[in-house]
PDB file of all heavy atoms in Angstrom:
ATOM      1  N   GLY A 191      35.108 -10.372  -5.870  1.00 89.00           N
ATOM      2  CA  GLY A 191      36.027  -9.882  -4.837  1.00 89.00           C
ATOM      3  C   GLY A 191      37.478  -9.923  -5.306  1.00 89.00           C
ATOM      4  O   GLY A 191      37.794 -10.467  -6.364  1.00 89.00           O
ATOM      5  N   TYR A 192      38.374  -9.342  -4.518  1.00 88.00           N
ATOM      6  CA  TYR A 192      39.795  -9.260  -4.873  1.00 88.00           C
ATOM      7  C   TYR A 192      40.530 -10.584  -4.742  1.00 88.00           C
ATOM      8  O   TYR A 192      41.478 -10.851  -5.459  1.00 88.00           O
ATOM      9  CB  TYR A 192      40.517  -8.251  -3.956  1.00 88.00           C
ATOM     10  CG  TYR A 192      40.175  -6.824  -4.210  1.00 88.00           C
ATOM     11  CD1 TYR A 192      39.288  -6.147  -3.386  1.00 88.00           C
ATOM     12  CD2 TYR A 192      40.749  -6.129  -5.266  1.00 88.00           C
ATOM     13  CE1 TYR A 192      38.974  -4.823  -3.606  1.00 88.00           C
ATOM     14  CE2 TYR A 192      40.440  -4.804  -5.500  1.00 88.00           C
ATOM     15  CZ  TYR A 192      39.553  -4.160  -4.661  1.00 88.00           C
ATOM     16  OH  TYR A 192      39.246  -2.850  -4.893  1.00 88.00           O
ATOM     17  N   SER A 193      40.140 -11.387  -3.797  1.00 91.00           N
ATOM     18  CA  SER A 193      40.907 -12.566  -3.418  1.00 91.00           C
ATOM     19  C   SER A 193      40.609 -13.773  -4.297  1.00 91.00           C
ATOM     20  O   SER A 193      39.444 -14.106  -4.535  1.00 91.00           O
ATOM     21  CB  SER A 193      40.592 -12.905  -1.959  1.00 91.00           C
ATOM     22  OG  SER A 193      41.329 -14.017  -1.549  1.00 91.00           O
ATOM     23  N   ASN A 194      41.689 -14.407  -4.771  1.00 93.00           N
ATOM     24  CA  ASN A 194      41.606 -15.695  -5.468  1.00 93.00           C
ATOM     25  C   ASN A 194      40.543 -15.704  -6.567  1.00 93.00           C
ATOM     26  O   ASN A 194      39.694 -16.595  -6.615  1.00 93.00           O
ATOM     27  CB  ASN A 194      41.349 -16.802  -4.441  1.00 93.00           C
ATOM     28  CG  ASN A 194      41.850 -18.139  -4.914  1.00 93.00           C
ATOM     29  OD1 ASN A 194      42.716 -18.230  -5.763  1.00 93.00           O
ATOM     30  ND2 ASN A 194      41.297 -19.188  -4.351  1.00 93.00           N
ATOM     31  N   THR A 195      40.592 -14.737  -7.461  1.00 92.00           N
ATOM     32  CA  THR A 195      39.589 -14.612  -8.530  1.00 92.00           C
ATOM     33  C   THR A 195      39.641 -15.800  -9.475  1.00 92.00           C
ATOM     34  O   THR A 195      40.644 -16.512  -9.557  1.00 92.00           O
ATOM     35  CB  THR A 195      39.808 -13.318  -9.338  1.00 92.00           C
ATOM     36  OG1 THR A 195      41.077 -13.407 -10.003  1.00 92.00           O
ATOM     37  CG2 THR A 195      39.746 -12.076  -8.456  1.00 92.00           C
ATOM     38  N   GLN A 196      38.555 -15.964 -10.228  1.00 91.00           N
ATOM     39  CA  GLN A 196      38.522 -17.072 -11.183  1.00 91.00           C
ATOM     40  C   GLN A 196      39.636 -16.927 -12.227  1.00 91.00           C
ATOM     41  O   GLN A 196      40.253 -17.915 -12.632  1.00 91.00           O
ATOM     42  CB  GLN A 196      37.151 -17.178 -11.842  1.00 91.00           C
ATOM     43  CG  GLN A 196      36.704 -15.960 -12.618  1.00 91.00           C
ATOM     44  CD  GLN A 196      35.275 -16.097 -13.137  1.00 91.00           C
ATOM     45  OE1 GLN A 196      34.700 -17.185 -13.154  1.00 91.00           O
ATOM     46  NE2 GLN A 196      34.710 -14.997 -13.583  1.00 91.00           N
ATOM     47  N   ARG A 197      39.934 -15.711 -12.649  1.00 92.00           N
ATOM     48  CA  ARG A 197      41.027 -15.510 -13.602  1.00 92.00           C
ATOM     49  C   ARG A 197      42.367 -15.863 -12.974  1.00 92.00           C
ATOM     50  O   ARG A 197      43.217 -16.470 -13.611  1.00 92.00           O
ATOM     51  CB  ARG A 197      41.043 -14.065 -14.096  1.00 92.00           C
ATOM     52  CG  ARG A 197      39.922 -13.756 -15.053  1.00 92.00           C
ATOM     53  CD  ARG A 197      39.961 -12.320 -15.477  1.00 92.00           C
ATOM     54  NE  ARG A 197      38.932 -12.060 -16.471  1.00 92.00           N
ATOM     55  CZ  ARG A 197      38.461 -10.876 -16.737  1.00 92.00           C
ATOM     56  NH1 ARG A 197      38.911  -9.816 -16.097  1.00 92.00           N
ATOM     57  NH2 ARG A 197      37.531 -10.715 -17.649  1.00 92.00           N
ATOM     58  N   PHE A 198      42.570 -15.452 -11.732  1.00 93.00           N
ATOM     59  CA  PHE A 198      43.817 -15.768 -11.043  1.00 93.00           C
ATOM     60  C   PHE A 198      44.045 -17.272 -10.998  1.00 93.00           C
ATOM     61  O   PHE A 198      45.154 -17.757 -11.239  1.00 93.00           O
ATOM     62  CB  PHE A 198      43.808 -15.181  -9.632  1.00 93.00           C
ATOM     63  CG  PHE A 198      44.980 -15.623  -8.797  1.00 93.00           C
ATOM     64  CD1 PHE A 198      46.249 -15.122  -9.035  1.00 93.00           C
ATOM     65  CD2 PHE A 198      44.808 -16.539  -7.771  1.00 93.00           C
ATOM     66  CE1 PHE A 198      47.330 -15.528  -8.266  1.00 93.00           C
ATOM     67  CE2 PHE A 198      45.879 -16.945  -6.999  1.00 93.00           C
ATOM     68  CZ  PHE A 198      47.144 -16.441  -7.245  1.00 93.00           C
ATOM     69  N   LYS A 199      43.018 -18.029 -10.684  1.00 94.00           N
ATOM     70  CA  LYS A 199      43.147 -19.488 -10.604  1.00 94.00           C
ATOM     71  C   LYS A 199      43.608 -20.065 -11.938  1.00 94.00           C
ATOM     72  O   LYS A 199      44.468 -20.950 -11.969  1.00 94.00           O
ATOM     73  CB  LYS A 199      41.815 -20.108 -10.174  1.00 94.00           C
ATOM     74  CG  LYS A 199      41.430 -19.791  -8.748  1.00 94.00           C
ATOM     75  CD  LYS A 199      40.032 -20.301  -8.457  1.00 94.00           C
ATOM     76  CE  LYS A 199      39.539 -19.791  -7.121  1.00 94.00           C
ATOM     77  NZ  LYS A 199      38.136 -20.148  -6.877  1.00 94.00           N
ATOM     78  N   ILE A 200      43.046 -19.570 -13.016  1.00 91.00           N
ATOM     79  CA  ILE A 200      43.441 -20.046 -14.353  1.00 91.00           C
ATOM     80  C   ILE A 200      44.856 -19.587 -14.686  1.00 91.00           C
ATOM     81  O   ILE A 200      45.701 -20.382 -15.116  1.00 91.00           O
ATOM     82  CB  ILE A 200      42.443 -19.552 -15.420  1.00 91.00           C
ATOM     83  CG1 ILE A 200      41.080 -20.209 -15.211  1.00 91.00           C
ATOM     84  CG2 ILE A 200      42.975 -19.831 -16.833  1.00 91.00           C
ATOM     85  CD1 ILE A 200      39.958 -19.577 -16.002  1.00 91.00           C
ATOM     86  N   TYR A 201      45.134 -18.297 -14.491  1.00 91.00           N
ATOM     87  CA  TYR A 201      46.454 -17.751 -14.818  1.00 91.00           C
ATOM     88  C   TYR A 201      47.548 -18.444 -14.019  1.00 91.00           C
ATOM     89  O   TYR A 201      48.610 -18.773 -14.540  1.00 91.00           O
ATOM     90  CB  TYR A 201      46.520 -16.253 -14.547  1.00 91.00           C
ATOM     91  CG  TYR A 201      45.600 -15.374 -15.362  1.00 91.00           C
ATOM     92  CD1 TYR A 201      45.506 -14.024 -15.088  1.00 91.00           C
ATOM     93  CD2 TYR A 201      44.807 -15.869 -16.385  1.00 91.00           C
ATOM     94  CE1 TYR A 201      44.682 -13.181 -15.813  1.00 91.00           C
ATOM     95  CE2 TYR A 201      43.964 -15.051 -17.115  1.00 91.00           C
ATOM     96  CZ  TYR A 201      43.901 -13.702 -16.829  1.00 91.00           C
ATOM     97  OH  TYR A 201      43.077 -12.884 -17.552  1.00 91.00           O
TER      98      TYR A 201
END
Side-chain angles (χ1 to χ4, degrees):
Y192 289 102
S193 181
N194 206 22
T195 64
Q196 60 185 346
R197 287 178 176 159
F198 172 73
K199 292 173 190 174
I200 293 167
Y201 297 174

